[in-house]
Amino acid sequence: MSYILNRVFSMMLTLFLISAITFAVTNILPGDVAMMIMGTQSNPEALAGLRETLGLNDPLLVQYGRWVGGMLTGDWGSSLVFKEPIAPLLLQKMTASGLLVLFSMAIALTCAIPLGVWAAVHANRWQDTAASSTAMLGVSLPDFFWGIMLILLFARGLGWLPSSGFVDPGDDLGAAVRHALLPSLALGLGLMAHLTRMTRATMTGILKQEFIRVARAKGLNESTVVWRYGLANAVGPVMTVAGLQVGYLFGSIIVIESLFNYTGMGWLTYQALLNRDIPLIQASVFVIAAVVMLANLIVDLLYAVVDPRIRLS
Amino acid sequence: MPIDQEPLVSVDKLRVEFRGEDGPIVGVENISFSIAPGETVCVVGESGSGKSVTSLSLMRLVEFGGGRITSGRLGFSLNGEQIDLAQTDSETMQAIRGDEIGMIFQEPMTSLNPVFTIERQMTDGLRVHRGLSRTKARARALELLQQVRIPEPERRLTQYPHELSGGMRQRVMIAMAMACEPRLLIADEPTTALDVTIQAEILALIDRLKRETGMAVLFITHDMAVVAQMADRVVVMYRGKLVEEGPVERIFAAPQEEYTRKLLAAVPRLGEMRGKPAPEPMRLVGEETAQASPTPIDAAPEPLLKVSNLTTRYPVKGGLFRRTIANVHAVEDVSFDIGRGQTLALVGESGCGKSSCGRSILRLSEPTSGQVLLDRTDILALNNRDLRRRAWRDMQMVFQDPFASLNPYMRLRDQVAEPIRNFAIKTAGTVEDRVAELFDRVDLPRSFMSRFPHELSGGQRQRVAIARALAVNPKLIIADEAVSALDVSVQAQVLNLMMELQAELGVSYLFISHDMAVVERVAHRVGVMYLGRLVEIGSRQQVFENPQHSYTKSLLSAVPVADPTQRNIRDDLNFRPIPSPVFPLGHIPAPSIYDEVAPGHQVLRAQMGLGLD
């Protein structure tokens, strides 16, 4: 329990730092919110007036304090581009992207674990070489390449799945899944390759351990030895790497969502950056950071479930 | 003793090959021996002798390590029928493993699955082989834990391996191997990783279970003393071949083969130094014994090293801000002297603080308090620069694992030359000449100078480590378990080398070891440590021939004697876990008060909170 508190506390601290950094960076960039609202050709007096009303002439620290206060009380401001309140906008886009991240993680894990274990069991034989080189291929190619390939194959070629667009799961669940499938696959392939290599490396080490030999000496059959005794020990490390990859996925969705015209967080952030929508940039960076950290916290807590050695009283 | 009935196991001309880079490598060949029901056969040999390969072949586990049984028969009597395990299909083997043949391995710390409870690991074999229900399997597991005399067996079932001590884990392993009442128990170095008192308990336990159940035991070991205590018959192996086989009394009394004689000669036997005042080198068959000239019995009245009230504590961190919440009292109020050209041995079991003590003298671990005087220099008062320049020039260390203490990317020449350069030691000729001279001194060919560590054997590497320590002409060498990782014949050579160097150069040793028989050979004085305290210190004769402290006595009586006519394995009843050296922050331990029972022989008074009897 004190471990969880400890983690939550350090997470708060990190979030605070992130908020300060994003706020500072967006303020250093040329152009401010007033200019964005009124355009570059606007009347200097009106601009100054707007700056005054928006409080842009206050010291940075005061502005930062106002922003943090707003974030904490649920008043996240409005997007300049979308002319909408930011909080519900982010919630909707985060749901869309969360779907992608979950799908791609599920695809990656369900393929990577069996493949990695299989490669480890046949370590240094053709099966291993095959699995490892396939994984290497996946790791070395960027995911937009897989995106283009998938569009060509499944959308253009076979016509099984839509090549772009987003459907809200609340409106039509089936269509939502169909639209999410290709971008998830594009994200998941690289991830899968990475996790396969990780699973293989972890399992190769575990299968050399004495307790595996002991399990065999007890007369357990080989599948119990590998899939229960072995894999139970690999779950923790693989899960940790998967958790760290959530951060990488949120980086990748900026490209993939734009490629598939999938209007989630990545697409939103990209639009915000393109249009210098400063309040939206600040809020979305903050939300992405919070989600990534939350994912890692969950992984760490799950670790304690799968490995009794780190179960803390 | 051989029992007159059909053998349970008959190995005939076994040959095992391993895949190598350039074709197959022979693991063992032409191995033949048999085991009768109720008999203990010890297979003994040094590393690389193929003793483990032989036992793994019987279980057909050798295949999982890349080995292949290429010829020979592994006869096993199953339900009154003789079958050949070498030809048995994998399903039948699975049915035999854990049911007919149980196996215990060397490392109790790694042989249990860290993420499963003891109950799950103890019951899955029972459920597979006996088809027991969960509750019935649990009841049987409980019964087994009681049989191996684990305290609080119910609680152990729900625990995970990391919550148990090494000795307890090995008991769990034995209980697990015994689960289906196997007719053959294979024990592969089951006590090698354990402390001597726990070893005595485990050996007694295996012996008792064997007598109670009538199973046969195949006992793999490198330790001749354990062989003498356990075996009915002995199989001696060397480099994958069987050297000699026979009843244990005959092997010890009248070994037929040269190798067996060499092996036995290299074994230090506790008690054989009785009545001798000075250390003596080992007799090595086939080599003329370099008679070390008797070391001067410290003519100078002033000792080289004077350690007073040395205390080292390690903080235990915890809580939200990683504050110190307790202290490990690793070394607690320890005082001793080491004379010039003399060896003080610190003995004790793992965790007793002997290594911490050595490290504290060098300030590799910073002591909490106390005084260390080397030639009247106050080591603890030196600043970092002087510590490096002066103290570490006069004191060098040789570590246990020569594989880890040499840099794998550096040529040996450079590794030995490094301290000469670092300390800017003046040499008569070039640095290269000095290195060559050091290689001569530790009996390594000069051609080794341009080699890398992986090209050397363990004993040769340890010689390099000694040469490196000698490079700065130190006054004191701290040897922390320096020969523990070596095979017994190599160990004897390295020990003799160390004693020769002492006679020639007058260097002093702080010899840290858990091996009482080795210590009896090499030490002038002996200190026994327990829970961070020095419980007894005196001359070698005083400590070994007239031990006073109860811990020294129990330690000495637990050492197996390499003589089959003196079996001293006792009953395994006195299971006594060592108390924890972790104390809360404010804890002020009582000072160590010693009684001088004879000149130079001091014994810790009372129990000083040691948790003994």
Side-chain angles (χ1 to χ4, degrees):
Chain A
M1 197 59 213
S2 87
Y3 170 74
I4 299 175
L5 281 177
N6 206 340
R7 283 298 312 264
V8 170
F9 177 78
S10 79
M11 190 173 140
M12 295 293 197
L13 200 72
T14 321
L15 278 179
F16 172 74
L17 286 173
I18 286 172
S19 74
I21 292 167
T22 31
F23 190 84
V25 169
T26 43
N27 273 289
I28 290 166
L29 293 176
D32 63 9
V33 177
M35 186 108 68
M36 288 296 124
I37 294 172
M38 308 206 39
T40 38
Q41 307 303 316
S42 59
N43 165 1
E45 274 147 44
L47 201 59
L50 185 61
R51 282 200 175 119
E52 191 57 43
T53 22
L54 290 174
L56 295 183
N57 293 331
D58 294 342
L60 258 190
L61 218 56
V62 174
Q63 293 189 43
Y64 175 63
R66 199 184 302 137
W67 179 64
V68 169
M71 291 297 280
L72 289 177
T73 53
D75 173 18
W76 291 18
S78 286
S79 159
L80 305 181
V81 181
F82 298 96
K83 317 279 185 231
E84 276 179 63
I86 288 176
L89 184 66
L90 281 183
L91 183 68
Q92 186 209 347
K93 300 300 176 198
M94 193 45 111
T95 316
S97 292
L99 206 64
L100 279 196
V101 170
L102 281 181
F103 267 28
S104 55
M105 196 53 91
I107 292 168
L109 282 173
T110 43
C111 300
I113 289 177
L115 202 61
V117 171
W118 187 68
V121 168
H122 300 100
N124 302 321
R125 274 183 269 168
W126 69 263
Q127 294 95 329
D128 179 28
T129 318
S132 297
S133 2
T134 316
M136 198 62 220
L137 194 73
V139 172
S140 46
L141 289 168
D143 31 38
F144 64 80
F145 169 81
W146 294 118
I148 294 166
M149 286 297 141
L150 289 168
I151 291 174
L152 286 178
L153 181 64
F154 289 104
R156 297 282 155 74
L158 299 167
W160 290 354
L161 292 164
S163 67
S164 72
F166 165 72
V167 175
D168 195 299
D171 297 344
D172 180 349
L173 190 64
V177 170
R178 274 199 303 282
H179 279 86
L181 217 49
L182 280 187
S184 302
L185 260 177
L187 284 170
L189 278 173
L191 189 63
M192 175 185 102
H194 192 88
L195 292 176
T196 304
R197 287 168 63 81
M198 176 68 197
T199 310
R200 180 201 173 272
T202 313
M203 275 302 278
T204 318
I206 288 168
L207 290 178
K208 286 188 190 131
Q209 299 263 335
E210 188 99 317
F211 62 80
I212 291 294
R213 190 146 56 154
V214 171
R216 286 184 182 131
K218 277 196 279 194
L220 303 180
N221 64 39
E222 201 50 24
S223 70
T224 311
V225 171
V226 173
W227 292 97
R228 293 203 196 282
Y229 271 67
L231 193 57
N233 281 276
V235 170
V238 171
M239 218 169 57
T240 302
V241 171
L244 291 172
Q245 294 299 314
V246 172
Y248 152 86
L249 280 180
F250 272 100
S252 300
I253 56 172
I254 294 188
V255 178
I256 292 296
E257 286 184 1
S258 301
L259 182 70
F260 285 91
N261 200 23
Y262 187 92
T263 51
M265 271 312 275
W267 175 86
L268 185 74
T269 315
Y270 181 60
Q271 295 301 322
L273 281 167
L274 216 57
N275 297 300
R276 301 242 175 99
D277 189 344
I278 290 170
L280 188 57
I281 295 175
Q282 288 168 343
S284 45
V285 168
F286 186 77
V287 164
I288 288 176
V291 168
V292 170
M293 268 187 284
L294 199 67
N296 280 293
L297 176 66
I298 292 168
V299 165
D300 283 359
L301 296 180
L302 280 178
Y303 208 124
V305 176
V306 299
D307 192 338
R309 280 168 299 181
I310 67 151
R311 212 167 284 169
L312 295 148
S313 51
Chain B
M1 40 226 71
I3 293 154
D4 193 23
Q5 66 189 104
E6 184 154 311
L8 176 66
V9 177
S10 47
V11 178
D12 190 28
K13 296 196 178 64
L14 173 70
R15 180 188 171 93
V16 178
E17 289 178 2
F18 287 86
R19 274 194 310 259
E21 276 181 25
D22 327 298
I25 299 164
V26 178
V28 297
E29 62 180 330
N30 210 8
I31 303 292
S32 307
F33 64 92
S34 63
I35 309 170
E39 186 185 36
T40 301
V41 172
C42 279
V43 176
V44 66
E46 298 182 291
S47 49
S49 63
K51 53 190 193 300
S52 289
V53 172
T54 308
S55 67
L56 290 174
S57 300
L58 266 178
M59 287 288 259
R60 288 275 301 280
L61 286 174
V62 76
E63 287 141 61
F64 294 98
R68 209 161 60 85
I69 299 171
T70 46
S71 67
R73 233 184 86 82
L74 295 168
F76 185 75
S77 98
L78 182 69
N79 310 324
E81 255 179 81
Q82 276 287 328
I83 60 162
D84 182 4
L85 295 180
Q87 305 296 331
T88 306
D89 61 276
S90 62
E91 265 171 50
T92 317
M93 267 328 291
Q94 268 169 25
I96 290 173
R97 278 185 216 131
D99 191 5
E100 297 287 331
I101 310 177
M103 189 156 180
I104 323 165
F105 295 87
Q106 175 170 354
E107 275 292 339
M109 298 322 246
T110 55
S111 48
L112 291 169
N113 192 334
V115 302
F116 290 163
T117 59
I118 300 296
E119 176 177 348
R120 173 153 184 197
Q121 300 188 56
M122 285 195 69
T123 52
D124 53 10
L126 286 164
R127 299 181 69 183
V128 168
H129 295 300
R130 292 280 183 270
L132 296 186
S133 69
R134 184 167 292 217
T135 38
K136 278 192 177 150
R138 189 188 145 86
R140 170 76 179 137
L142 202 62
E143 190 183 303
L144 285 161
L145 287 182
Q146 281 156 352
Q147 209 180 353
V148 299
R149 294 183 182 150
I150 281 191
E152 305 179 78
E154 287 90 353
R155 196 158 75 87
R156 304 298 167 210
L157 284 180
T158 60
Q159 283 181 316
Y160 287 90
H162 70 278
E163 298 173 82
L164 271 54
S165 69
M168 246 193 290
R169 288 188 212 186
Q170 199 62 312
R171 279 171 191 260
V172 168
M173 271 304 298
I174 294 174
M176 224 152 80
M178 299 294 298
C180 299
E181 298 172 320
R183 288 183 300 142
L184 174 66
L185 178 72
I186 302 177
D188 189 351
E189 303 264 13
T191 58
T192 306
L194 302 174
D195 277 324
V196 59
T197 52
I198 301 162
Q199 163 170 287
E201 290 164 9
I202 297 293
L203 291 181
L205 169 65
I206 293 174
D207 203 52
R208 176 170 62 83
L209 293 173
K210 179 197 130 181
R211 276 183 279 114
E212 282 174 10
T213 61
M215 66 180 175
V217 178
L218 176 63
F219 200 102
I220 315 292
T221 183
H222 70 285
D223 188 339
M224 286 310 259
V226 170
V227 173
Q229 295 297 320
M230 298 295 286
D232 295 318
R233 276 188 313 121
V234 183
V235 173
V236 183
M237 287 186 69
Y238 180 63
R239 295 202 177 157
K241 295 197 174 66
L242 189 144
V243 175
E244 186 169 2
E245 191 220 326
V248 63
E249 294 85 1
R250 213 242 330 121
I251 293 283
F252 276 79
Q256 306 287 301
E257 297 295 322
E258 179 70 13
Y259 175 73
T260 316
R261 280 200 287 275
K262 266 173 94 165
L263 192 64
L264 283 167
V267 178
R269 290 159 204 231
L270 194 66
E272 68 183 340
M273 294 290 288
R274 193 164 272 271
K276 295 177 182 172
E280 272 179 23
M282 313 268 186
R283 309 159 311 269
L284 296 178
V285 177
E287 281 173 40
E288 51 180 294
T289 313
Q291 185 61 52
S293 53
T295 353
I297 302 292
D298 201 20
E302 193 168 331
L304 171 71
L305 181 80
K306 197 168 172 55
V307 174
S308 320
N309 310 104
L310 187 70
T311 299
T312 304
R313 293 176 192 154
Y314 302 121
V316 179
K317 306 261 184 194
L320 198 55
F321 299 101
R322 314 291 306 153
R323 274 177 311 198
T324 305
I325 50 169
N327 278 312
V328 180
H329 290 222
V331 182
E332 194 57 57
D333 198 3
V334 165
S335 308
F336 57 82
D337 297 343
I338 302 181
R340 285 161 211 282
Q342 295 226 333
T343 301
L344 170 73
L346 280 184
V347 294
E349 299 182 286
S350 50
C352 73
K354 54 189 193 300
S355 289
S356 293
C357 188
R359 296 174 59 85
S360 301
I361 291 169
L362 274 175
R363 284 174 66 189
L364 292 174
S365 300
E366 200 62 46
T368 314
S369 64
Q371 195 181 40
V372 177
L373 292 179
L374 180 80
D375 251 349
R376 275 185 259 169
T377 307
D378 186 350
I379 300 295
L380 303 192
L382 296 178
N383 61 27
N384 278 339
R385 212 180 89 164
D386 287 341
L387 179 68
R388 262 204 326 274
R389 288 207 178 162
R390 292 167 58 193
W392 291 351
R393 222 187 113 149
D394 288 339
M395 296 190 284
Q396 283 288 310
M397 197 148 179
V398 177
F399 295 92
Q400 171 169 5
D401 187 353
F403 290 75
S405 61
L406 294 175
N407 186 335
Y409 294 101
M410 269 171 85
R411 289 185 195 280
L412 299 174
R413 169 195 294 122
D414 299 324
Q415 305 209 35
V416 175
E418 204 173 31
I420 303 178
R421 299 206 174 97
N422 285 350
F423 290 101
I425 306 281
K426 289 193 189 72
T427 52
T430 59
V431 172
E432 182 87 6
D433 293 340
R434 172 71 177 141
V435 173
E437 191 191 305
L438 285 163
F439 270 70
D440 294 346
R441 181 142 265 169
V442 297
D443 299 326
L444 282 176
R446 289 188 176 193
S447 60
F448 278 28
M449 284 165 62
S450 50
R451 292 198 184 183
F452 288 98
H454 71 267
E455 299 174 283
L456 270 62
S457 70
Q460 289 167 338
R461 281 179 226 216
Q462 204 58 307
R463 284 170 193 265
V464 174
I466 293 171
R468 184 171 61 179
L470 288 174
V472 297
N473 300 314
K475 295 171 182 161
L476 174 71
I477 291 180
I478 298 178
D480 189 354
E481 300 276 10
V483 296
S484 307
L486 305 176
D487 275 328
V488 55
S489 60
V490 182
Q491 165 179 293
Q493 289 165 5
V494 173
L495 285 173
N496 282 2
L497 170 70
M498 287 176 73
M499 284 188 264
E500 275 168 44
L501 292 169
Q502 184 166 55
E504 277 173 43
L505 308 170
V507 61
S508 303
Y509 293 117
L510 177 62
F511 190 89
I512 297 166
S513 176
H514 70 282
D515 190 332
M516 302 296 276
V518 166
V519 164
E520 199 196 17
R521 268 277 164 185
V522 302
H524 295 89
R525 289 177 62 75
V526 178
V528 181
M529 285 191 73
Y530 180 75
L531 263 182
R533 305 257 189 180
L534 199 57
V535 297
E536 182 162 3
I537 185 167
S539 72
R540 197 200 59 236
Q541 276 185 295
Q542 286 167 339
V543 173
F544 279 86
E545 294 173 25
N546 186 22
Q548 291 296 311
H549 197 278
S550 61
Y551 179 69
T552 315
K553 288 178 190 166
S554 69
L555 198 59
L556 281 169
S557 68
V559 178
V561 183
D563 181 350
T565 60
Q566 286 182 47
R567 295 214 163 170
N568 61 344
I569 44 173
R570 305 153 301 173
D571 197 31
D572 59 321
L573 265 175
N574 48 348
F575 187 85
R576 190 173 55 197
I578 294 175
S580 160
V582 179
F583 292 100
L585 276 184
H587 180 77
I588 298 165
S592 302
I593 301 167
Y594 293 91
D595 291 319
E596 183 145 31
V597 293
H601 187 183
Q602 295 185 313
V603 181
L604 188 68
R605 184 182 294 172
Q607 299 305 332
M608 311 306 300
L610 291 183
L612 292 169
D613 299 336

